């Protein structure tokens, strides 16, 4: 859309740092307004401070900048959420309500990221299906289930075009993660380059679904570009990239850094990880709008090490 004007919340986080550049490459830097509670990190893009709990400032920015599309990334992730559940609930739910209400009033299209954290007990942990029982054990997961359902409700009742992906753990070289259970899979690369050693806060055999940042961004743009009639799932689409355990990613890294050593000291995040799927069935995303990942563990590891070695 030539007149598209985008606002991103939580734009200074792990995903926002990369997504804002992808959107500015696609639409032009004057078409993307980045916002966050924290000061700007993407100095080359327009930035406004925005606490997502401040609904009137959100609406003021939407009006002032004639926003048409909102990518709502501001949230508290799984591990950080367990440290202060009430705050996580407030930011994740009240923040989303402010976004959905603004979208209803100003007729905005919305992207809302959900997560594999919506799953808990009573689902197959291998190839977890799109439509499954959602009984998460973290406040983060509960907020994502609520968020998915509210997004579908606003679509159904008010015609708001809300689209969503259940991201697996995201791994990228461009930015650091912000307090999730899958953060180890980014930290391990930085430590492999700097110290040739890493202590994993998850046990060796804890397999989780993961995706490379390039694939996650491509999936997001594909979903948002798809014609509305192709979007059959209005809660949130399962998407998948790869699955591996800390022991398996360490082995992949050792192909490039032969003297890399991993040790294990599982903490409270182990229990969260054990409540999540090991792999995800993303066949509905593939059928409905043509999703297909490019990166597997081997190609992602090669790319991460190449990029981080250059910047080390
Ligand atoms: P992040 O923690 O790196 O970034 C979140 C950003 O939100 C931060 O920059 C933070 O300053 C900002 N923020 C926090 N409270 C705010 C508030 N009150 N107002 C405005 N901004 C606020 O998270 P991320 O990894 O970039 O994740 C972005 C979204 O994607 C989140 O909704 C997250 O749940 C979802 N997600 C991420 C992953 C992943 O592996 N990174 C996986 C699944 C889903
Ligand atoms: N990567 C996220 C987390 O660990 C999953 O949503 O919290």
């Amino acid at each position: 859309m030539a007149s598209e004007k985008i606002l991103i919340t939580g734009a200074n986080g792990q995903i926002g740092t990369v997504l804002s550049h992808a959107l500015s490459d696609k639409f032009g830097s004057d078409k993307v307004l980045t916002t966050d509670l924290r000061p700007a990190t993407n100095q080359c893009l327009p930035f406004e401070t925005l606490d997502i709990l401040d609904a009137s400032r959100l609406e003021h920015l939407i009006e002032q900048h004639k926003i048409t599309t909102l990518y709502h990334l501001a949230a508290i992730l799984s591990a950080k959420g367990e440290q202060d559940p009430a705050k996580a609930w407030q930011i994740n739910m009240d923040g989303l309500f402010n976004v959905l209400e603004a979208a209803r009033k100003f007729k905005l299209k919305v992207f809302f990221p959900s997560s594999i954290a919506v799953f808990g007990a009573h689902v197959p942990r291998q190839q977890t299906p799109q439509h499954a029982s959602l009984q998460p054990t973290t406040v983060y997961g509960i907020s994502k289930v609520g968020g998915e359902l509210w997004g579908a409700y606003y679509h159904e009742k008010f015609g708001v075009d809300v689209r969503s992906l259940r991201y697996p753990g995201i791994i990228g070289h461009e930015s650091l993660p912000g307090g999730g259970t899958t953060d180890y899979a980014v930290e391990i690369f930085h430590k492999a380059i700097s110290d040739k050693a890493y202590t994993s806060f998850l046990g060796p055999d804890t397999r989780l679904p993961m995706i490379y940042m390039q694939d996650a961004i491509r999936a997001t743009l594909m979903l948002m570009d798809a014609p509305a009639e192709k979007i059959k799932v209005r809660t949130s689409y399962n998407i998948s990239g790869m699955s591996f355990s800390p022991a398996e990613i360490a082995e992949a890294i050792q192909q490039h850094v032969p003297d890399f050593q991993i040790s294990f000291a599982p903490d409270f995040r182990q229990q969260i990880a054990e409540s999540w799927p090991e792999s995800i069935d993303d066949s509905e995303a593939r059928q409905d709008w043509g999703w297909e990942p490019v990166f597997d563990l081997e190609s992602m590891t090669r790319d991460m090490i190449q990029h981080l070695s250059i910047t080390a």
Side-chain angles (χ1 to χ4, degrees):
M1 194 182 2
S3 59
E4 190 148 358
K5 188 80 198 280
I6 294 162
L7 186 150
I8 308 174
T9 73
N12 292 344
Q14 187 197 5
I15 300 172
T17 304
V18 188
L19 182 64
S20 50
H21 283 291
L23 289 168
S24 102
D25 288 348
K26 186 172 160 92
F27 295 102
S29 55
D30 58 328
K31 301 288 185 191
V32 178
L33 177 66
T34 62
T35 72
D36 202 292
L37 201 56
R38 294 188 277 167
T41 50
N42 282 317
Q43 298 295 352
C44 48
L45 292 177
F47 176 82
E48 294 276 358
T49 304
L50 172 66
D51 181 345
I52 197 55
L53 298 179
D54 185 347
S56 59
R57 176 150 172 82
L58 172 66
E59 294 189 7
H60 168 74
L61 290 175
I62 288 168
E63 272 188 300
Q64 187 188 11
H65 293 271
K66 299 186 171 42
I67 298 299
T68 61
T69 305
L70 204 154
Y71 288 74
H72 175 45
L73 305 182
I76 304 296
L77 276 76
S78 60
K80 212 166 150 190
E82 294 307 293
Q83 311 297 329
D84 190 346
K87 184 179 169 208
W89 181 255
Q90 186 194 23
I91 291 173
N92 294 4
M93 291 313 295
D94 293 353
L96 176 63
F97 265 117
N98 290 342
V99 165
L100 291 174
E101 268 304 287
R104 184 178 66 78
K105 281 188 203 162
F106 296 99
K107 301 194 187 327
L108 309 182
K109 187 170 175 179
V110 175
F111 175 74
F112 162 68
S114 184
S115 162
I116 53 164
V118 294
F119 298 112
H122 311 298
V123 293
R125 293 190 67 215
Q126 311 294 335
Q127 291 297 104
T128 305
Q130 175 69 48
H131 302 287
S133 169
L134 302 180
Q135 297 187 42
T137 54
T138 58
V139 67
Y140 174 71
I142 300 169
S143 74
K144 291 295 183 187
V145 173
E148 288 187 7
L149 295 172
W150 276 112
Y153 182 90
Y154 268 72
H155 176 254
E156 179 68 26
K157 296 280 175 185
F158 306 124
V160 180
D161 191 355
V162 186
R163 303 181 182 200
S164 178
L165 297 174
R166 288 174 181 155
Y167 287 136
I170 298 181
I171 300 156
H173 57 84
E174 303 92 333
S175 50
L176 292 171
T181 303
T182 57
D183 292 12
Y184 93 86
V186 180
E187 292 168 6
I188 194 171
F189 283 103
H190 289 269
K191 289 289 185 185
I193 303 288
S194 62
D195 301 355
K196 297 195 187 326
Y198 178 66
T199 302
S200 168
F201 58 74
L202 297 183
D205 303 321
T206 313
R207 300 192 97 229
L208 287 171
M210 303 278 184
I211 192 168
Y212 199 36
M213 181 67 82
Q214 284 185 38
D215 275 339
I217 299 295
R218 199 167 47 79
T220 308
L221 300 182
M222 283 178 77
L223 177 79
M224 291 302 274
D225 275 352
E229 64 274 15
K230 298 266 186 201
I231 310 297
K232 308 266 169 50
V233 175
R234 283 291 178 171
T235 48
S236 189
Y237 276 100
N238 279 8
I239 56 159
S240 178
M242 62 193 90
S243 284
F244 56 78
S245 65
E248 287 166 339
I249 193 175
E251 211 178 302
I253 290 172
Q254 279 158 353
Q255 301 301 312
H256 303 270
V257 185
D259 45 351
F260 173 64
Q261 297 291 329
I262 187 165
S263 53
F264 302 95
D267 65 14
F268 72 100
R269 290 167 280 194
Q270 180 68 32
Q271 201 180 354
I272 300 176
E274 284 173 9
S275 76
W276 289 353
E278 293 195 357
S279 61
I280 294 286
D281 174 1
D282 60 3
S283 49
E284 297 208 21
R286 290 172 186 255
Q287 277 158 30
D288 291 356
W289 42 273
W291 163 243
E292 201 175 345
V294 169
F295 285 88
D296 60 11
L297 175 58
E298 194 179 83
S299 50
M300 174 196 75
T301 302
R302 194 182 323 116
D303 205 59
M304 281 292 286
I305 288 185
Q306 264 170 17
H307 279 96
L308 292 178
S309 303
I310 292 164
T311 50

